Amino acid sequence: MDKFSIATVVLACVLTVCVGQTLSFGRCPTVKVQQQFDINQYMGKWYEERRFFAIFEAGMTCVSAEYTLQDDGSVKVNNTGYRRLTEKYSSAIGDAIVEDPKEPAKLGVRFSRYQPRGDYWVLETDYSQYTVIWWCTQFGFLNTQFAWVLTRSPEGVSAPTMSRIYDLLKGYGINTKNFSTTEQDRSKCPGR
Ligand SMILES: *[C@@H]1O[C@H](CO)[C@@H](O)[C@H](O)[C@H]1NC(C)=O
Ligand SMILES: *[C@@H]1O[C@H](CO)[C@@H](O)[C@H](O)[C@H]1NC(C)=O
Protein backbone atom coordinates (compact mmCIF):
# COMPACT_ATOMS: atom_id res chain seq x y z
CA MET A 1 0.00 0.00 0.00
CA ASP A 2 1.19 3.51 -0.71
CA LYS A 3 1.21 6.23 1.93
CA PHE A 4 -2.13 7.66 0.88
CA SER A 5 -3.91 4.31 1.11
CA ILE A 6 -2.45 3.64 4.51
CA ALA A 7 -3.50 7.10 5.70
CA THR A 8 -7.00 6.53 4.34
CA VAL A 9 -7.35 3.19 6.04
CA VAL A 10 -6.04 4.56 9.32
CA LEU A 11 -8.42 7.50 9.14
CA ALA A 12 -11.33 5.26 8.22
CA CYS A 13 -10.36 3.05 11.10
CA VAL A 14 -10.21 5.91 13.56
CA LEU A 15 -13.51 7.32 12.39
CA THR A 16 -15.50 4.20 11.69
CA VAL A 17 -14.38 0.60 11.53
CA CYS A 18 -12.66 0.61 14.88
CA VAL A 19 -15.77 2.05 16.46
CA GLY A 20 -17.91 -0.50 14.67
CA GLN A 21 -19.51 1.50 11.89
CA THR A 22 -20.07 -0.15 8.53
CA LEU A 23 -18.21 1.13 5.52
CA SER A 24 -19.42 1.13 1.93
CA PHE A 25 -17.48 1.55 -1.25
CA GLY A 26 -17.99 4.59 -3.44
CA ARG A 27 -18.94 8.19 -3.04
CA CYS A 28 -21.57 9.63 -0.74
CA PRO A 29 -24.85 9.70 -2.64
CA THR A 30 -26.23 13.08 -3.67
CA VAL A 31 -29.41 13.88 -1.80
CA LYS A 32 -31.94 16.69 -1.57
CA VAL A 33 -32.89 18.18 1.76
CA GLN A 34 -36.22 19.56 2.93
CA GLN A 35 -37.09 22.82 1.18
CA GLN A 36 -38.28 25.81 3.24
CA PHE A 37 -37.29 24.12 6.46
CA ASP A 38 -39.09 25.68 9.44
CA ILE A 39 -37.02 25.10 12.52
CA ASN A 40 -39.76 26.31 14.90
CA GLN A 41 -42.18 23.61 13.79
CA TYR A 42 -39.38 21.06 14.11
CA MET A 43 -38.74 21.65 17.82
CA GLY A 44 -40.06 19.40 20.58
CA LYS A 45 -39.95 15.71 21.22
CA TRP A 46 -39.29 12.94 18.71
CA TYR A 47 -39.02 9.17 19.10
CA GLU A 48 -36.44 7.16 17.22
CA GLU A 49 -38.42 4.75 15.04
CA ARG A 50 -35.47 3.22 13.19
CA ARG A 51 -31.78 3.84 12.64
CA PHE A 52 -28.67 2.61 10.91
CA PHE A 53 -26.22 0.90 13.19
CA ALA A 54 -24.18 3.46 15.12
CA ILE A 55 -21.79 2.39 17.83
CA PHE A 56 -22.65 5.39 20.01
CA GLU A 57 -26.21 4.06 20.12
CA ALA A 58 -25.40 0.35 20.44
CA GLY A 59 -27.63 -1.33 23.00
CA MET A 60 -29.82 1.76 23.34
CA THR A 61 -33.58 1.32 23.26
CA CYS A 62 -36.50 3.70 23.89
CA VAL A 63 -34.46 6.48 22.28
CA SER A 64 -35.98 9.92 22.11
CA ALA A 65 -34.68 13.33 21.10
CA GLU A 66 -35.85 16.65 22.41
CA TYR A 67 -35.02 19.81 20.48
CA THR A 68 -35.33 23.24 22.05
CA LEU A 69 -34.65 26.50 20.27
CA GLN A 70 -32.32 28.75 22.25
CA ASP A 71 -32.24 32.56 22.34
CA ASP A 72 -29.09 32.60 20.21
CA GLY A 73 -30.82 30.61 17.45
CA SER A 74 -29.03 27.36 18.20
CA VAL A 75 -30.89 24.20 19.13
CA LYS A 76 -30.40 22.36 22.38
CA VAL A 77 -30.34 18.62 21.68
CA ASN A 78 -31.23 16.11 24.36
CA ASN A 79 -30.92 12.51 23.20
CA THR A 80 -32.13 10.06 25.80
CA GLY A 81 -32.01 6.28 25.65
CA TYR A 82 -32.46 3.27 27.86
CA ARG A 83 -29.75 0.69 28.33
CA ARG A 84 -31.14 -2.68 29.25
CA LEU A 85 -27.74 -3.77 30.53
CA THR A 86 -27.60 -1.07 33.20
CA GLU A 87 -31.40 -0.64 33.42
CA LYS A 88 -30.89 3.10 33.28
CA TYR A 89 -31.75 6.00 31.04
CA SER A 90 -28.91 8.26 30.01
CA SER A 91 -28.89 11.49 28.04
CA ALA A 92 -26.43 13.10 25.68
CA ILE A 93 -26.78 16.87 25.64
CA GLY A 94 -25.55 18.74 22.61
CA ASP A 95 -26.34 21.62 20.34
CA ALA A 96 -27.15 22.02 16.69
CA ILE A 97 -26.83 25.03 14.43
CA VAL A 98 -27.76 25.93 10.89
CA GLU A 99 -24.35 26.46 9.36
CA ASP A 100 -25.49 28.25 6.18
CA PRO A 101 -28.74 30.26 6.38
CA LYS A 102 -29.32 29.50 2.70
CA GLU A 103 -29.54 25.80 3.59
CA PRO A 104 -31.64 25.74 6.76
CA ALA A 105 -32.30 21.97 6.64
CA LYS A 106 -28.57 21.25 6.95
CA LEU A 107 -27.61 21.37 10.58
CA GLY A 108 -24.37 20.62 12.32
CA VAL A 109 -24.59 18.87 15.67
CA ARG A 110 -22.07 18.16 18.40
CA PHE A 111 -22.12 16.71 21.86
CA SER A 112 -18.89 18.25 23.09
CA ARG A 113 -17.28 21.62 22.54
CA TYR A 114 -14.10 19.82 21.61
CA GLN A 115 -15.68 17.82 18.83
CA PRO A 116 -16.15 18.86 15.23
CA ARG A 117 -19.81 19.09 14.25
CA GLY A 118 -21.38 16.14 12.50
CA ASP A 119 -23.91 16.66 9.73
CA TYR A 120 -27.58 16.45 10.57
CA TRP A 121 -29.45 16.83 7.31
CA VAL A 122 -33.22 16.80 7.30
CA LEU A 123 -34.10 15.04 4.06
CA GLU A 124 -37.83 15.23 4.64
CA THR A 125 -40.21 16.08 7.46
CA ASP A 126 -43.89 16.91 7.80
CA TYR A 127 -43.16 18.23 11.34
CA SER A 128 -46.25 16.51 12.79
CA GLN A 129 -45.49 12.83 12.12
CA TYR A 130 -41.99 12.02 10.91
CA THR A 131 -38.54 13.26 10.03
CA VAL A 132 -35.81 11.60 7.98
CA ILE A 133 -32.25 12.48 8.97
CA TRP A 134 -29.11 11.49 7.16
CA TRP A 135 -25.37 11.84 7.42
CA CYS A 136 -22.58 10.63 5.15
CA THR A 137 -18.81 11.02 5.39
CA GLN A 138 -16.43 10.07 2.67
CA PHE A 139 -12.79 9.05 2.92
CA GLY A 140 -11.10 8.23 -0.32
CA PHE A 141 -13.04 5.44 -1.98
CA LEU A 142 -15.05 4.60 1.13
CA ASN A 143 -18.02 6.19 2.83
CA THR A 144 -19.99 5.64 5.96
CA GLN A 145 -23.63 6.58 6.38
CA PHE A 146 -26.09 7.06 9.18
CA ALA A 147 -29.82 7.46 8.76
CA TRP A 148 -32.62 7.90 11.23
CA VAL A 149 -36.38 8.03 11.05
CA LEU A 150 -37.85 9.85 14.03
CA THR A 151 -41.56 10.05 14.69
CA ARG A 152 -43.71 12.25 16.90
CA SER A 153 -45.57 9.23 18.23
CA PRO A 154 -43.74 6.34 19.92
CA GLU A 155 -46.05 4.15 17.84
CA GLY A 156 -44.33 5.31 14.65
CA VAL A 157 -46.11 6.06 11.40
CA SER A 158 -48.46 4.18 9.09
CA ALA A 159 -47.05 1.51 6.77
CA PRO A 160 -47.74 3.61 3.63
CA THR A 161 -45.86 6.58 5.14
CA MET A 162 -42.88 4.36 6.02
CA SER A 163 -42.91 2.86 2.56
CA ARG A 164 -42.83 6.39 1.06
CA ILE A 165 -39.83 7.19 3.28
CA TYR A 166 -38.08 4.03 2.05
CA ASP A 167 -38.80 4.99 -1.56
CA LEU A 168 -37.31 8.43 -0.97
CA LEU A 169 -34.08 6.94 0.43
CA LYS A 170 -33.84 4.18 -2.18
CA GLY A 171 -34.24 6.88 -4.83
CA TYR A 172 -30.94 8.34 -3.60
CA GLY A 173 -29.26 4.93 -3.56
CA ILE A 174 -29.36 4.66 0.23
CA ASN A 175 -29.57 1.06 1.43
CA THR A 176 -32.70 0.81 3.57
CA LYS A 177 -31.77 -2.77 4.52
CA ASN A 178 -29.38 -1.18 7.00
CA PHE A 179 -32.26 0.09 9.12
CA SER A 180 -33.16 -1.59 12.34
CA THR A 181 -36.22 -0.72 14.39
CA THR A 182 -35.76 0.85 17.81
CA GLU A 183 -37.75 -0.63 20.68
CA GLN A 184 -40.37 1.91 21.79
CA ASP A 185 -42.91 -0.42 23.35
CA ARG A 186 -44.19 1.22 26.51
CA SER A 187 -43.90 -2.04 28.47
CA LYS A 188 -40.17 -2.19 27.65
CA CYS A 189 -39.44 1.47 28.34
CA PRO A 190 -39.66 1.79 32.14
CA GLY A 191 -41.29 4.93 33.43
CA ARG A 192 -42.85 5.90 30.15
C1 LIG B 1 -33.13 15.21 28.91
O1 LIG B 1 -34.33 14.49 28.74
C2 LIG B 1 -34.60 13.55 29.76
C3 LIG B 1 -35.83 12.75 29.36
O2 LIG B 1 -36.89 13.55 29.02
C4 LIG B 1 -34.77 14.31 31.09
O3 LIG B 1 -35.02 13.40 32.12
C5 LIG B 1 -33.51 15.10 31.36
O4 LIG B 1 -33.69 15.88 32.52
C6 LIG B 1 -33.17 16.01 30.19
N1 LIG B 1 -31.88 16.65 30.44
C7 LIG B 1 -31.64 17.95 30.19
C8 LIG B 1 -30.29 18.45 30.57
O5 LIG B 1 -32.46 18.69 29.65
C1 LIG C 1 -25.41 -1.69 4.65
O1 LIG C 1 -25.46 -3.11 4.58
C2 LIG C 1 -24.62 -3.67 3.61
C3 LIG C 1 -24.82 -5.16 3.57
O2 LIG C 1 -25.84 -5.59 4.40
C4 LIG C 1 -23.18 -3.32 3.91
O3 LIG C 1 -22.32 -3.85 2.91
C5 LIG C 1 -23.04 -1.80 3.95
O4 LIG C 1 -21.72 -1.47 4.32
C6 LIG C 1 -24.01 -1.19 4.94
N1 LIG C 1 -23.92 0.25 4.83
C7 LIG C 1 -23.99 1.05 5.88
C8 LIG C 1 -23.92 2.49 5.58
O5 LIG C 1 -24.09 0.65 7.03
Side-chain angles (χ1 to χ4, degrees):
M1 281 202 290
D2 60 30
K3 264 192 198 143
F4 175 75
S5 310
I6 292 169
T8 305
V9 170
V10 169
L11 184 65
C13 180
V14 167
L15 291 173
T16 64
V17 174
C18 295
V19 294
Q21 189 60 36
T22 332
L23 286 165
S24 312
F25 280 100
R27 305 180 67 81
C28 282
T30 305
V31 299
K32 287 207 187 87
V33 296
Q34 171 92 6
Q35 296 303 294
Q36 270 118 32
F37 179 66
D38 179 355
I39 204 159
N40 285 294
Q41 283 194 65
Y42 196 78
M43 296 298 97
K45 190 149 186 174
W46 293 95
Y47 295 90
E48 184 184 77
E49 212 281 332
R50 55 193 73 192
R51 66 174 181 237
F52 277 20
F53 177 79
I55 192 70
F56 47 86
E57 285 192 281
M60 283 281 197
T61 62
C62 314
V63 180
S64 63
E66 180 139 34
Y67 303 132
T68 316
L69 199 57
Q70 308 292 289
D71 290 339
D72 65 1
S74 71
V75 175
K76 177 187 161 190
V77 176
N78 177 350
N79 287 347
T80 302
Y82 184 75
R83 236 178 246 291
R84 236 174 265 152
L85 205 64
T86 56
E87 300 186 328
K88 278 198 182 107
Y89 282 97
S90 65
S91 300
I93 310 299
D95 69 279
I97 56 164
V98 173
E99 290 173 309
D100 175 0
K102 284 193 218 97
E103 303 239 54
K106 293 185 177 176
L107 292 105
V109 65
R110 67 180 180 192
F111 292 91
S112 152
R113 275 200 291 156
Y114 309 103
Q115 236 179 25
R117 288 181 188 276
D119 286 338
Y120 177 115
W121 288 8
V122 180
L123 300 193
E124 194 180 292
T125 183
D126 67 351
Y127 306 103
S128 61
Q129 289 186 75
Y130 69 89
T131 179
V132 185
I133 304 151
W134 187 71
W135 179 45
C136 184
T137 320
Q138 194 167 321
F139 355 80
F141 49 86
L142 296 169
N143 73 70
T144 186
Q145 299 178 35
F146 300 89
W148 292 267
V149 177
L150 310 185
T151 58
R152 288 293 192 189
S153 160
E155 266 109 67
V157 288
S158 69
T161 302
M162 190 52 77
S163 128
R164 266 203 333 97
I165 291 170
Y166 270 41
D167 287 346
L168 171 84
L169 294 171
K170 284 181 199 156
Y172 295 133
I174 297 167
N175 188 352
T176 53
K177 291 201 182 81
N178 295 57
F179 271 126
S180 61
T181 306
T182 306
E183 180 67 71
Q184 293 289 359
D185 194 297
R186 190 173 298 183
S187 65
K188 302 210 173 92
C189 301
R192 185 176 278 170

mmCIF file of all heavy atoms in Angstrom, residues 8-38:
data_model
loop_
_atom_site.group_PDB
_atom_site.id
_atom_site.type_symbol
_atom_site.label_atom_id
_atom_site.label_comp_id
_atom_site.label_asym_id
_atom_site.label_seq_id
_atom_site.Cartn_x
_atom_site.Cartn_y
_atom_site.Cartn_z
ATOM 1 N N THR A 8 -5.545 6.635 4.481
ATOM 2 C CA THR A 8 -6.996 6.530 4.335
ATOM 3 C C THR A 8 -7.549 5.442 5.242
ATOM 4 O O THR A 8 -8.544 5.641 5.928
ATOM 5 C CB THR A 8 -7.366 6.203 2.872
ATOM 6 O OG1 THR A 8 -6.777 7.201 2.051
ATOM 7 C CG2 THR A 8 -8.863 6.177 2.675
ATOM 8 N N VAL A 9 -6.880 4.309 5.236
ATOM 9 C CA VAL A 9 -7.352 3.191 6.043
ATOM 10 C C VAL A 9 -7.271 3.541 7.528
ATOM 11 O O VAL A 9 -8.197 3.274 8.291
ATOM 12 C CB VAL A 9 -6.561 1.904 5.728
ATOM 13 C CG1 VAL A 9 -6.887 0.812 6.739
ATOM 14 C CG2 VAL A 9 -6.869 1.443 4.315
ATOM 15 N N VAL A 10 -6.187 4.181 7.915
ATOM 16 C CA VAL A 10 -6.036 4.557 9.316
ATOM 17 C C VAL A 10 -7.137 5.536 9.723
ATOM 18 O O VAL A 10 -7.788 5.379 10.757
ATOM 19 C CB VAL A 10 -4.630 5.149 9.597
ATOM 20 C CG1 VAL A 10 -4.578 5.780 10.980
ATOM 21 C CG2 VAL A 10 -3.582 4.061 9.463
ATOM 22 N N LEU A 11 -7.383 6.526 8.853
ATOM 23 C CA LEU A 11 -8.423 7.502 9.140
ATOM 24 C C LEU A 11 -9.790 6.828 9.221
ATOM 25 O O LEU A 11 -10.558 7.048 10.153
ATOM 26 C CB LEU A 11 -8.436 8.573 8.057
ATOM 27 C CG LEU A 11 -9.411 9.730 8.273
ATOM 28 C CD1 LEU A 11 -8.987 10.526 9.504
ATOM 29 C CD2 LEU A 11 -9.459 10.629 7.057
ATOM 30 N N ALA A 12 -10.052 5.969 8.243
ATOM 31 C CA ALA A 12 -11.327 5.257 8.217
ATOM 32 C C ALA A 12 -11.476 4.445 9.487
ATOM 33 O O ALA A 12 -12.552 4.364 10.077
ATOM 34 C CB ALA A 12 -11.407 4.358 6.986
ATOM 35 N N CYS A 13 -10.361 3.868 9.902
ATOM 36 C CA CYS A 13 -10.358 3.055 11.104
ATOM 37 C C CYS A 13 -10.679 3.903 12.325
ATOM 38 O O CYS A 13 -11.549 3.569 13.116
ATOM 39 C CB CYS A 13 -8.988 2.404 11.251
ATOM 40 S SG CYS A 13 -8.839 1.369 12.684
ATOM 41 N N VAL A 14 -9.989 5.028 12.411
ATOM 42 C CA VAL A 14 -10.211 5.911 13.557
ATOM 43 C C VAL A 14 -11.666 6.360 13.597
ATOM 44 O O VAL A 14 -12.309 6.377 14.631
ATOM 45 C CB VAL A 14 -9.265 7.132 13.475
ATOM 46 C CG1 VAL A 14 -9.687 8.204 14.459
ATOM 47 C CG2 VAL A 14 -7.835 6.693 13.733
ATOM 48 N N LEU A 15 -12.185 6.726 12.417
ATOM 49 C CA LEU A 15 -13.512 7.318 12.392
ATOM 50 C C LEU A 15 -14.626 6.285 12.419
ATOM 51 O O LEU A 15 -15.709 6.572 12.862
ATOM 52 C CB LEU A 15 -13.683 8.190 11.143
ATOM 53 C CG LEU A 15 -12.855 9.465 11.141
ATOM 54 C CD1 LEU A 15 -12.967 10.157 9.799
ATOM 55 C CD2 LEU A 15 -13.312 10.394 12.253
ATOM 56 N N THR A 16 -14.370 5.103 11.880
ATOM 57 C CA THR A 16 -15.505 4.197 11.690
ATOM 58 C C THR A 16 -15.256 2.762 12.104
ATOM 59 O O THR A 16 -15.790 2.327 13.106
ATOM 60 C CB THR A 16 -15.969 4.213 10.224
ATOM 61 O OG1 THR A 16 -14.915 3.720 9.438
ATOM 62 C CG2 THR A 16 -16.398 5.563 9.780
ATOM 63 N N VAL A 17 -14.464 2.043 11.326
ATOM 64 C CA VAL A 17 -14.376 0.603 11.529
ATOM 65 C C VAL A 17 -14.071 0.254 12.983
ATOM 66 O O VAL A 17 -14.732 -0.569 13.586
ATOM 67 C CB VAL A 17 -13.321 -0.043 10.611
ATOM 68 C CG1 VAL A 17 -13.142 -1.505 10.947
ATOM 69 C CG2 VAL A 17 -13.714 0.120 9.164
ATOM 70 N N CYS A 18 -13.084 0.934 13.525
ATOM 71 C CA CYS A 18 -12.662 0.610 14.881
ATOM 72 C C CYS A 18 -13.712 0.969 15.908
ATOM 73 O O CYS A 18 -13.668 0.494 17.025
ATOM 74 C CB CYS A 18 -11.331 1.274 15.203
ATOM 75 S SG CYS A 18 -10.040 0.610 14.148
ATOM 76 N N VAL A 19 -14.664 1.817 15.556
ATOM 77 C CA VAL A 19 -15.768 2.054 16.459
ATOM 78 C C VAL A 19 -17.012 1.317 15.981
ATOM 79 O O VAL A 19 -18.097 1.557 16.445
ATOM 80 C CB VAL A 19 -16.057 3.559 16.680
ATOM 81 C CG1 VAL A 19 -14.887 4.206 17.395
ATOM 82 C CG2 VAL A 19 -16.378 4.273 15.403
ATOM 83 N N GLY A 20 -16.829 0.433 15.007
ATOM 84 C CA GLY A 20 -17.906 -0.496 14.672
ATOM 85 C C GLY A 20 -18.858 -0.069 13.581
ATOM 86 O O GLY A 20 -19.829 -0.751 13.311
ATOM 87 N N GLN A 21 -18.596 1.055 12.944
ATOM 88 C CA GLN A 21 -19.507 1.495 11.894
ATOM 89 C C GLN A 21 -19.211 0.772 10.584
ATOM 90 O O GLN A 21 -18.072 0.445 10.303
ATOM 91 C CB GLN A 21 -19.376 3.008 11.703
ATOM 92 C CG GLN A 21 -20.418 3.601 10.798
ATOM 93 C CD GLN A 21 -21.820 3.374 11.309
ATOM 94 O OE1 GLN A 21 -22.037 3.391 12.505
ATOM 95 N NE2 GLN A 21 -22.748 3.120 10.412
ATOM 96 N N THR A 22 -20.247 0.546 9.799
ATOM 97 C CA THR A 22 -20.073 -0.151 8.531
ATOM 98 C C THR A 22 -19.623 0.804 7.429
ATOM 99 O O THR A 22 -20.131 1.912 7.327
ATOM 100 C CB THR A 22 -21.397 -0.787 8.066
ATOM 101 O OG1 THR A 22 -22.170 -1.068 9.209
ATOM 102 C CG2 THR A 22 -21.141 -2.014 7.265
ATOM 103 N N LEU A 23 -18.692 0.337 6.643
ATOM 104 C CA LEU A 23 -18.213 1.131 5.522
ATOM 105 C C LEU A 23 -18.808 0.627 4.216
ATOM 106 O O LEU A 23 -19.067 -0.555 4.070
ATOM 107 C CB LEU A 23 -16.696 1.019 5.429
ATOM 108 C CG LEU A 23 -15.898 1.787 6.481
ATOM 109 C CD1 LEU A 23 -14.459 1.309 6.506
ATOM 110 C CD2 LEU A 23 -15.974 3.273 6.219
ATOM 111 N N SER A 24 -19.012 1.526 3.278
ATOM 112 C CA SER A 24 -19.423 1.132 1.934
ATOM 113 C C SER A 24 -18.421 1.699 0.940
ATOM 114 O O SER A 24 -17.800 2.718 1.202
ATOM 115 C CB SER A 24 -20.800 1.696 1.597
ATOM 116 O OG SER A 24 -21.700 1.464 2.622
ATOM 117 N N PHE A 25 -18.329 1.024 -0.198
ATOM 118 C CA PHE A 25 -17.479 1.548 -1.254
ATOM 119 C C PHE A 25 -18.204 2.636 -2.014
ATOM 120 O O PHE A 25 -19.431 2.639 -2.097
ATOM 121 C CB PHE A 25 -17.064 0.424 -2.213
ATOM 122 C CG PHE A 25 -15.946 -0.387 -1.653
ATOM 123 C CD1 PHE A 25 -16.193 -1.617 -1.037
ATOM 124 C CD2 PHE A 25 -14.639 0.091 -1.698
ATOM 125 C CE1 PHE A 25 -15.152 -2.356 -0.502
ATOM 126 C CE2 PHE A 25 -13.599 -0.646 -1.165
ATOM 127 C CZ PHE A 25 -13.858 -1.875 -0.565
ATOM 128 N N GLY A 26 -17.414 3.579 -2.569
ATOM 129 C CA GLY A 26 -17.990 4.586 -3.442
ATOM 130 C C GLY A 26 -18.176 5.921 -2.767
ATOM 131 O O GLY A 26 -17.793 6.117 -1.616
ATOM 132 N N ARG A 27 -18.755 6.824 -3.528
ATOM 133 C CA ARG A 27 -18.941 8.190 -3.036
ATOM 134 C C ARG A 27 -20.236 8.295 -2.242
ATOM 135 O O ARG A 27 -21.127 7.485 -2.395
ATOM 136 C CB ARG A 27 -19.016 9.162 -4.222
ATOM 137 C CG ARG A 27 -17.828 9.080 -5.168
ATOM 138 C CD ARG A 27 -18.008 10.071 -6.309
ATOM 139 N NE ARG A 27 -17.931 11.446 -5.828
ATOM 140 C CZ ARG A 27 -16.785 12.080 -5.606
ATOM 141 N NH1 ARG A 27 -15.641 11.478 -5.829
ATOM 142 N NH2 ARG A 27 -16.788 13.321 -5.178
ATOM 143 N N CYS A 28 -20.314 9.336 -1.423
ATOM 144 C CA CYS A 28 -21.570 9.634 -0.740
ATOM 145 C C CYS A 28 -22.626 9.943 -1.794
ATOM 146 O O CYS A 28 -22.356 10.713 -2.719
ATOM 147 C CB CYS A 28 -21.419 10.862 0.155
ATOM 148 S SG CYS A 28 -20.580 10.524 1.702
ATOM 149 N N PRO A 29 -23.819 9.365 -1.667
ATOM 150 C CA PRO A 29 -24.853 9.704 -2.644
ATOM 151 C C PRO A 29 -25.254 11.185 -2.545
ATOM 152 O O PRO A 29 -25.086 11.809 -1.502
ATOM 153 C CB PRO A 29 -26.039 8.811 -2.254
ATOM 154 C CG PRO A 29 -25.692 8.141 -0.995
ATOM 155 C CD PRO A 29 -24.251 8.370 -0.698
ATOM 156 N N THR A 30 -25.735 11.705 -3.662
ATOM 157 C CA THR A 30 -26.228 13.084 -3.675
ATOM 158 C C THR A 30 -27.692 13.064 -3.265
ATOM 159 O O THR A 30 -28.473 12.287 -3.810
ATOM 160 C CB THR A 30 -26.099 13.667 -5.098
ATOM 161 O OG1 THR A 30 -24.726 13.510 -5.493
ATOM 162 C CG2 THR A 30 -26.465 15.135 -5.138
ATOM 163 N N VAL A 31 -28.029 13.880 -2.309
ATOM 164 C CA VAL A 31 -29.406 13.881 -1.802
ATOM 165 C C VAL A 31 -29.968 15.296 -1.824
ATOM 166 O O VAL A 31 -29.220 16.264 -1.922
ATOM 167 C CB VAL A 31 -29.465 13.353 -0.347
ATOM 168 C CG1 VAL A 31 -28.967 11.923 -0.266
ATOM 169 C CG2 VAL A 31 -28.671 14.257 0.590
ATOM 170 N N LYS A 32 -31.285 15.390 -1.736
ATOM 171 C CA LYS A 32 -31.945 16.686 -1.570
ATOM 172 C C LYS A 32 -32.427 16.788 -0.136
ATOM 173 O O LYS A 32 -32.850 15.793 0.447
ATOM 174 C CB LYS A 32 -33.165 16.772 -2.496
ATOM 175 C CG LYS A 32 -32.812 16.948 -3.946
ATOM 176 C CD LYS A 32 -33.972 17.686 -4.647
ATOM 177 C CE LYS A 32 -33.768 17.758 -6.134
ATOM 178 N NZ LYS A 32 -34.292 16.554 -6.824
ATOM 179 N N VAL A 33 -32.365 17.988 0.405
ATOM 180 C CA VAL A 33 -32.888 18.176 1.763
ATOM 181 C C VAL A 33 -34.234 18.895 1.680
ATOM 182 O O VAL A 33 -34.620 19.400 0.623
ATOM 183 C CB VAL A 33 -31.899 18.957 2.661
ATOM 184 C CG1 VAL A 33 -30.618 18.156 2.849
ATOM 185 C CG2 VAL A 33 -31.612 20.340 2.117
ATOM 186 N N GLN A 34 -34.908 18.909 2.829
ATOM 187 C CA GLN A 34 -36.217 19.563 2.933
ATOM 188 C C GLN A 34 -36.132 21.021 2.483
ATOM 189 O O GLN A 34 -35.267 21.772 2.941
ATOM 190 C CB GLN A 34 -36.653 19.492 4.396
ATOM 191 C CG GLN A 34 -37.877 20.288 4.730
ATOM 192 C CD GLN A 34 -39.139 19.463 4.600
ATOM 193 O OE1 GLN A 34 -39.096 18.258 4.371
ATOM 194 N NE2 GLN A 34 -40.271 20.109 4.748
ATOM 195 N N GLN A 35 -37.038 21.430 1.612
ATOM 196 C CA GLN A 35 -37.087 22.824 1.177
ATOM 197 C C GLN A 35 -37.871 23.644 2.199
ATOM 198 O O GLN A 35 -38.750 23.101 2.877
ATOM 199 C CB GLN A 35 -37.742 22.920 -0.197
ATOM 200 C CG GLN A 35 -36.952 22.221 -1.292
ATOM 201 C CD GLN A 35 -35.525 22.747 -1.395
ATOM 202 O OE1 GLN A 35 -35.311 23.899 -1.756
ATOM 203 N NE2 GLN A 35 -34.549 21.908 -1.071
ATOM 204 N N GLN A 36 -37.584 24.917 2.309
ATOM 205 C CA GLN A 36 -38.281 25.809 3.236
ATOM 206 C C GLN A 36 -38.407 25.202 4.641
ATOM 207 O O GLN A 36 -39.495 25.108 5.188
ATOM 208 C CB GLN A 36 -39.692 26.132 2.715
ATOM 209 C CG GLN A 36 -39.727 27.349 1.838
ATOM 210 C CD GLN A 36 -40.197 27.018 0.430
ATOM 211 O OE1 GLN A 36 -41.013 26.117 0.243
ATOM 212 N NE2 GLN A 36 -39.693 27.736 -0.543
ATOM 213 N N PHE A 37 -37.282 24.769 5.145
ATOM 214 C CA PHE A 37 -37.286 24.125 6.455
ATOM 215 C C PHE A 37 -37.638 25.144 7.546
ATOM 216 O O PHE A 37 -37.027 26.208 7.631
ATOM 217 C CB PHE A 37 -35.906 23.521 6.713
ATOM 218 C CG PHE A 37 -35.787 22.851 8.047
ATOM 219 C CD1 PHE A 37 -36.530 21.714 8.328
ATOM 220 C CD2 PHE A 37 -34.925 23.348 9.023
ATOM 221 C CE1 PHE A 37 -36.425 21.078 9.558
ATOM 222 C CE2 PHE A 37 -34.803 22.719 10.246
ATOM 223 C CZ PHE A 37 -35.562 21.577 10.514
ATOM 224 N N ASP A 38 -38.637 24.803 8.354
ATOM 225 C CA ASP A 38 -39.093 25.682 9.439
ATOM 226 C C ASP A 38 -38.661 25.097 10.779
ATOM 227 O O ASP A 38 -39.262 24.153 11.291
ATOM 228 C CB ASP A 38 -40.620 25.819 9.371
ATOM 229 C CG ASP A 38 -41.160 26.705 10.492
ATOM 230 O OD1 ASP A 38 -40.375 27.129 11.373
ATOM 231 O OD2 ASP A 38 -42.370 26.972 10.474
#
